[in-house]
Amino acid sequence: MVPPIAVGPADRLFMFGGVGLGASLTALEQVTGRPVVWATAQYESYARPGETVIFRVDERVRGNQVSQARVSATTDGREVLNVSAALGQRDLPERGQWTLAPRVPPPEDCRPRQLWEGRHPDDIHGRIEFRIARGAMHGPRRGGGGQSPEDGHVVMWARPNPDVLGPGHMIDTAFVAVVADYVPSGVGPALGRDAGGNSLDNSIRFHRRVETDWLLCDVQIHGVANGFAHGRMHIFAQTGELIATASQSLILRLWD
Amino acid sequence: MVPPIAVGPADRLFMFGGVGLGASLTALEQVTGRPVVWATAQYESYARPGETVIFRVDERVRGNQVSQARVSATTDGREVLNVSAALGQRDLPERGQWTLAPRVPPPEDCRPRQLWEGRHPDDIHGRIEFRIARGAMHGPRRGGGGQSPEDGHVVMWARPNPDVLGPGHMIDTAFVAVVADYVPSGVGPALGRDAGGNSLDNSIRFHRRVETDWLLCDVQIHGVANGFAHGRMHIFAQTGELIATASQSLILRLWD
């Protein structure tokens, strides 16, 4: 585990949950030879810098069209996360998309988010370029651009950051899973304060794979109660085609 | 396993997925002494009438406020389903609900759904009373009342059926989980044909526990592609308070 896949205070970095899900999905697709339909990662522990994380794939049921599989990621025998997933592809012509992309300005007309001071300069946040299309990211004090929306709704564009990663870095399944782990960034704006959360899980449902230069991320926080928050993110291609829907439950963290 | 917790053709009944999730949540809350925050059931196999299903709870991490746990449900050593869950309660005053209940007529002014012919007369569908507030359930030919909505959006009221269960049957965590497994009923109306799906998973996020006589179930099908469908259900109390949000991915089934 190295800083570019980590988050947290500079002296207490841990592996970003979306990286664990993304690595698991890549491993699952390689082992089964099938695309992920749905996956849920449960986060049990943290992987720290210098530790090695081992991902073990268990394809439990292999049907004609659908595989049921799990991944266990461990470090030093300690389980960091486990993933349940279904993978497959079926040859049916029926298609529909009822979840529509919000109408927002194109990424070049949207403000870049500001990253807060005190983060590790080479953590994962620098590797994703976000542009704020509606609302703010992370809440008032951490910046992120824009106003707190009253409806708990935040929209941003995302792509692999060309300034850090160089040009031509493709948006693949793993990158979608990493971006999907940004649901917590909507909690602060929803509450109107500097707040966020630690993911209990990261669930993702893939609708279609569509090539795109930018992802349009539509975050809705459903609610906050009893010290937990719940929310979802619809992820669209630039054309408005739905690529995936993610959802998460979080341990609420207040930073102000 | 007995017909009242089953679905399917009368000669090929299997345990309803929501019953498996509901039983798992009840077991998890009893073993940990904590309320479920989030849970995902992955369905691997079917339990058939006459089979005994054993639910084993594994509380893997018990923190001060949050437990990470799993359930494995087996019959004859074959895994039927597995559940990943987080449970807990934290004493933080922050609260918010940004997901609003749709404005619909009260249950007494809504049409009851019609159950199709050929079902087992004592299956689980008879134990839940549904009233259709918007759209239809299950699609054109299976009835269910109302028109197919063009936006993939179906709203219904649900309660334990007093005609079958008698009066005074409380809405508890398990009942919410059973109702949450009705996301597939929105697939037919969304496609405008007689269709539905077999759940790959059933994921539920509990916002607050609120006493209510009826649940208001707001189903949105996100999309259908490659033979799979994805959707969610927001579950509200009669007061409009959000109780839970469920989501599922399905193997698309066409019945027309």
Side-chain angles (χ1 to χ4, degrees):
Chain A
M1 218 288 287
V2 292
I5 59 167
V7 286
D11 58 343
R12 281 182 293 138
L13 287 175
F14 59 92
M15 187 175 74
F16 189 62
V19 169
L21 177 61
S24 298
L25 300 190
T26 302
L28 280 163
E29 295 194 340
Q30 283 176 358
V31 169
T32 66
R34 292 175 165 178
V36 174
V37 177
W38 152 81
T40 292
Q42 176 178 38
Y43 300 115
E44 286 198 7
S45 178
Y46 297 102
R48 302 286 183 185
E51 293 183 324
T52 299
V53 183
I54 297 170
F55 293 82
R56 282 194 187 78
V57 174
D58 177 12
E59 186 174 11
R60 299 178 60 81
V61 180
R62 187 175 180 88
N64 285 335
Q65 297 176 307
V66 181
S67 289
Q68 302 279 357
R70 293 193 216 158
V71 177
S72 172
T74 54
T75 180
D76 279 337
R78 183 180 88 246
E79 187 148 77
V80 175
L81 63 95
N82 70 82
V83 174
S84 299
L87 303 96
Q89 177 103 19
R90 298 173 71 230
D91 189 22
L92 285 178
E94 282 69 27
R95 265 178 54 180
Q97 178 187 326
W98 295 273
T99 296
L100 304 183
R103 284 181 190 275
V104 294
E108 50 270 26
D109 293 346
C110 295
R111 282 176 305 273
R113 82 156 160 176
Q114 302 301 314
L115 287 169
W116 51 91
E117 291 179 17
R119 59 177 272 273
H120 189 289
D122 195 30
D123 72 8
I124 196 163
H125 297 307
R127 305 205 159 223
I128 307 165
E129 181 180 359
F130 280 106
R131 302 282 184 97
I132 317 295
R134 185 175 161 205
M137 276 179 88
H138 305 296
R141 286 208 313 175
R142 298 218 165 191
Q147 297 298 306
S148 275
E150 287 187 8
D151 60 357
H153 211 232
V154 175
V155 182
M156 59 251 195
W157 294 98
R159 69 171 175 180
N161 191 343
D163 292 343
V164 176
L165 298 167
H169 203 90
M170 290 281 288
I171 290 179
D172 57 10
T173 297
F175 185 79
V176 173
V178 169
V179 167
D181 202 17
Y182 276 83
V183 171
S185 64
V187 172
L191 287 172
R193 46 192 297 189
D194 191 8
N198 289 99
S199 307
L200 290 169
D201 73 297
N202 191 346
S203 298
I204 193 159
R205 306 180 185 287
F206 281 94
H207 176 64
R208 290 179 62 211
R209 316 294 167 118
V210 182
E211 276 194 37
T212 186
D213 292 329
W214 287 88
L215 299 173
L216 180 60
C217 307
D218 179 338
V219 175
Q220 169 79 57
I221 300 301
H222 295 137
V224 171
N226 301 321
F228 298 96
H230 309 280
R232 60 87 179 140
M233 182 193 290
H234 291 307
I235 301 174
F236 302 92
Q238 267 183 286
T239 51
E241 293 167 284
L242 182 63
I243 292 176
T245 298
S247 60
Q248 296 195 275
S249 295
L250 321 165
I251 300 174
L252 178 64
R253 301 292 181 201
L254 303 171
W255 294 313
D256 54 11
Chain B
M1 218 289 287
V2 292
I5 58 167
V7 285
D11 58 342
R12 280 182 293 139
L13 287 175
F14 60 92
M15 187 174 74
F16 188 63
V19 168
L21 177 61
S24 298
L25 298 191
T26 302
L28 279 164
E29 294 195 339
Q30 283 176 358
V31 168
T32 65
R34 292 175 163 177
V36 174
V37 178
W38 152 82
T40 292
Q42 175 177 38
Y43 300 114
E44 286 197 7
S45 178
Y46 297 102
R48 302 286 183 184
E51 293 183 323
T52 298
V53 183
I54 297 171
F55 293 82
R56 283 193 186 80
V57 174
D58 178 12
E59 187 174 9
R60 298 178 59 81
V61 180
R62 188 173 180 89
N64 286 333
Q65 298 176 307
V66 181
S67 290
Q68 301 280 357
R70 295 193 214 157
V71 177
S72 172
T74 53
T75 182
D76 279 337
R78 184 179 85 245
E79 188 147 77
V80 175
L81 63 94
N82 71 81
V83 173
S84 300
L87 303 96
Q89 177 103 19
R90 297 172 74 229
D91 188 24
L92 284 180
E94 283 69 27
R95 266 178 54 180
Q97 178 187 327
W98 295 272
T99 297
L100 304 182
R103 287 181 188 275
V104 295
E108 51 269 26
D109 293 346
C110 294
R111 283 177 304 272
R113 81 156 161 177
Q114 304 300 316
L115 287 169
W116 50 93
E117 291 179 17
R119 58 178 271 274
H120 190 288
D122 196 29
D123 71 9
I124 196 161
H125 296 307
R127 305 203 159 223
I128 307 165
E129 182 180 358
F130 280 105
R131 303 283 184 96
I132 317 295
R134 184 174 163 207
M137 275 178 88
H138 304 297
R141 286 207 314 174
R142 297 216 167 192
Q147 297 299 306
S148 275
E150 288 187 7
D151 59 359
H153 212 231
V154 175
V155 182
M156 59 249 195
W157 294 98
R159 68 171 176 181
N161 191 343
D163 293 344
V164 176
L165 298 168
H169 203 90
M170 291 281 288
I171 291 179
D172 59 9
T173 298
F175 185 78
V176 173
V178 169
V179 167
D181 203 17
Y182 277 83
V183 171
S185 63
V187 172
L191 287 172
R193 47 193 295 187
D194 192 7
N198 291 99
S199 307
L200 289 169
D201 73 297
N202 190 347
S203 299
I204 193 160
R205 306 180 185 285
F206 281 95
H207 175 65
R208 290 179 61 211
R209 315 295 166 117
V210 182
E211 276 195 36
T212 186
D213 292 329
W214 286 89
L215 298 174
L216 180 60
C217 308
D218 179 335
V219 175
Q220 168 79 58
I221 300 300
H222 295 139
V224 171
N226 301 320
F228 299 95
H230 309 280
R232 61 87 179 141
M233 181 192 290
H234 291 308
I235 301 175
F236 303 92
Q238 265 183 287
T239 51
E241 292 166 285
L242 182 64
I243 293 176
T245 298
S247 60
Q248 297 194 273
S249 294
L250 321 164
I251 300 174
L252 178 66
R253 302 293 181 201
L254 303 170
W255 294 313
D256 54 11

